[in-house]
Amino acid sequence: MKCKQCGTEFEGKFCPECGAKTEAETPITPPPIQQQSAPVQTGKAKKKKKPFFLRWWFILLAIIVVGVIALSAGGGGEKIVWDDIILGEILPEPPANKGEIHTNAADELWIDINDLSDKQFNDYVAACKEKGFTVDVESNSSSYDAYNAEGYKLSLGHYGSDADMSIQLEAPMEMTTITWPTSTAGKQLPTPKSTTGKFSYEHDDNFFVYVGNTSKADYAEYVNACSEKGFNVDFDKGEDYYYADNSEGWHISVRYEGNNIMSIDIDAPSEDDDNNTTPSTDSSTQTSEPDTTEKEPEKDTSNNGGLDPDFKAAMDSYEKFMDEYVAFMKKYSANPTDMSLLTDYADYMSKYADFVEDFEKWEDEEMNAAETAYYIDVQARVSKKLLEVAN
């Protein structure tokens, strides 16, 4: 069949050239993204590469794109009846009732309330505190995260006056009595004090577990025990997190999640580590032949303020792409019935493909301090431009 978007001949549900569906779609809707299956090694832990539509940056982009399209189309949000919110009794009723309901379930709530001022946001935060959300608080001028005594986790976000307020509420995690693994991975670590927890997954060479009934002091004690157990290579330690390797290449991530919950993630040495063992120094096995093995050069971040060059390129590509998107949406908002915008849409999709390609060059999902700061700066600029479209 022939693609209605670009004219390419193909068989299947999606065009391999532009990604368009065989069925007719709204012109401004981004095309479906096919899952990438190639593995990637991040850090020193053996992990499978996520499809890029599950990466943090693509999820963020999707939320932004969908949100701005809705605002540009003049939807104005739906009327939210608080009595219909399943977890509504846990929270105070918001000061406005126009917005969007993303999730309304017994274990999770996620809604956006449209067009709140800074004062309305701050007043709502105060009302949530009165409702008991004062445990393990993390807050700043635009966000508020806290638990209540029953273990419900609240996350509020509000980025700029007259912007939407995001409300996310998660029910307490259900935990049971657990037995510490006797697997290869389990033997690498000390056993926590608490036997209450929940495994997200468990295999011989890796697992991820939440451990309850663990105070901040218990968490700090467990981190010290991990260090004494040998997980003190290339470590990174903060108030509520600890990342480290041991001499054999096992990698752990230990975090204090809040509400007396600790998470533990352990992964076996990566294949690269297995293949890069230290050569023998036995004189009987030494040769005078030079090592001609081609080695991949280490990335130099000294001239980039600590930024991985691939990361910086990805973020610059992201900002450029969003600039193009803003320009396109301004044209669309001015005349949404103009069919000539299909040509602009094709150009937009081509640039979209370039953007994705640039992001795929950056494989590391864990940002250092410099990269986090650069990401925040880029996102602030992008958000400002998107607000211009929304308004």
Side-chain angles (χ1 to χ4, degrees):
M1 64 184 70
K2 180 177 289 188
C3 177
K4 294 181 180 180
Q5 294 284 0
C6 65
T8 300
E9 292 286 344
F10 72 102
E11 294 293 333
K13 293 183 179 180
F14 303 101
C15 173
E17 182 66 24
C18 69
K21 260 190 175 181
T22 56
E23 300 174 355
E25 294 185 297
T26 304
I28 63 168
T29 302
I33 305 299
Q34 296 179 348
Q35 180 171 342
Q36 307 296 309
S37 59
V40 65
Q41 301 294 336
T42 59
K44 293 190 176 181
K46 181 172 62 177
K47 296 182 182 292
K48 292 183 178 179
K49 180 179 178 181
K50 293 181 180 179
F52 59 77
F53 56 81
L54 294 180
R55 299 274 187 98
W56 61 268
W57 54 265
F58 187 84
I59 294 173
L60 173 65
L61 174 63
I63 292 172
I64 291 173
V65 170
V66 172
V68 174
I69 288 175
L71 288 170
S72 300
E78 61 181 296
K79 183 176 180 179
I80 298 175
V81 179
W82 198 248
D83 288 341
D84 295 338
I85 301 300
I86 298 174
L87 294 175
E89 293 183 357
I90 308 297
L91 294 172
E93 185 170 350
N97 63 359
K98 284 293 185 71
E100 183 177 0
I101 300 175
H102 301 285
T103 305
N104 182 18
D107 61 346
E108 182 181 3
L109 170 67
W110 176 20
I111 62 174
D112 292 333
I113 304 297
N114 293 161
D115 305 329
L116 293 190
S117 66
D118 289 337
K119 182 179 184 305
Q120 287 176 308
F121 172 72
N122 292 329
D123 288 346
Y124 190 73
V125 169
C128 289
K129 291 179 180 179
E130 292 179 0
K131 272 281 193 177
F133 285 93
T134 57
V135 178
D136 290 333
V137 174
E138 293 185 7
S139 66
N140 55 41
S141 61
S142 58
S143 67
Y144 184 82
D145 297 331
Y147 292 84
N148 68 5
E150 288 73 37
Y152 284 87
K153 181 181 180 181
L154 172 67
S155 295
L156 302 177
H158 180 255
Y159 300 94
S161 186
D162 297 325
D164 292 354
M165 176 175 69
S166 173
I167 304 175
Q168 297 184 57
L169 182 67
E170 298 178 16
M173 187 180 301
E174 294 184 3
M175 296 187 176
T176 60
T177 300
I178 61 172
T179 301
W180 192 249
T182 57
S183 60
T184 305
K187 293 177 180 178
Q188 307 298 317
L189 290 169
T191 303
K193 284 183 178 180
S194 174
T195 58
T196 300
K198 175 183 177 181
F199 280 91
S200 290
Y201 61 85
E202 182 182 358
H203 307 288
D204 183 63
D205 61 351
N206 59 24
F207 62 80
F208 187 101
V209 63
Y210 291 99
V211 181
N213 298 335
T214 301
S215 67
K216 202 78 178 283
D218 293 334
Y219 158 78
E221 183 179 330
Y222 187 76
V223 166
N224 289 335
C226 288
S227 177
E228 293 174 358
K229 187 83 172 179
F231 283 94
N232 49 28
V233 179
D234 294 334
F235 70 88
D236 185 7
K237 184 177 182 180
E239 184 178 351
D240 56 6
Y241 68 86
Y242 185 74
Y243 309 134
D245 296 345
N246 66 9
S247 59
E248 296 179 353
W250 287 83
H251 177 78
I252 61 166
S253 171
V254 184
R255 296 188 64 92
Y256 181 74
E257 302 289 344
N259 195 41
N260 293 327
I261 298 174
M262 170 176 66
S263 67
I264 304 170
D265 184 9
I266 181 169
D267 285 287
S270 68
E271 293 180 359
D272 287 344
D273 291 331
D274 293 340
N275 294 333
N276 290 332
T277 55
T278 304
S280 171
T281 57
D282 188 337
S283 60
S284 63
T285 60
Q286 290 182 353
T287 66
S288 59
E289 295 180 3
D291 183 4
T292 59
T293 303
E294 184 176 346
K295 297 181 179 179
E296 182 179 352
E298 294 184 2
K299 294 178 180 179
D300 181 11
T301 61
S302 59
N303 295 324
N304 293 298
L307 297 178
D308 185 312
D310 288 341
F311 171 81
K312 185 178 185 304
M315 291 308 304
D316 291 345
S317 173
Y318 164 69
E319 185 171 12
K320 180 180 178 182
F321 170 76
M322 293 309 297
D323 287 344
E324 297 291 341
Y325 171 75
V326 167
F328 174 80
M329 286 308 301
K330 285 181 178 178
K331 292 173 65 176
Y332 173 79
S333 298
N335 191 1
T337 61
D338 185 359
M339 297 305 294
S340 67
L341 289 176
L342 285 174
T343 301
D344 291 339
Y345 175 69
D347 293 339
Y348 170 72
M349 291 310 303
S350 176
K351 292 168 183 175
Y352 175 88
D354 292 340
F355 156 74
V356 170
E357 182 179 354
D358 286 343
F359 252 111
E360 284 296 277
K361 294 176 183 177
W362 177 55
E363 302 290 359
D364 194 351
E365 296 179 20
E366 293 184 1
M367 296 182 288
N368 60 34
E371 290 164 349
T372 300
Y374 190 71
Y375 164 74
I376 292 173
D377 289 343
V378 170
Q379 188 57 43
R381 292 194 296 268
V382 169
S383 298
K384 183 177 179 180
K385 295 168 186 174
L386 288 170
L387 286 174
E388 293 176 1
V389 179
N391 295 328

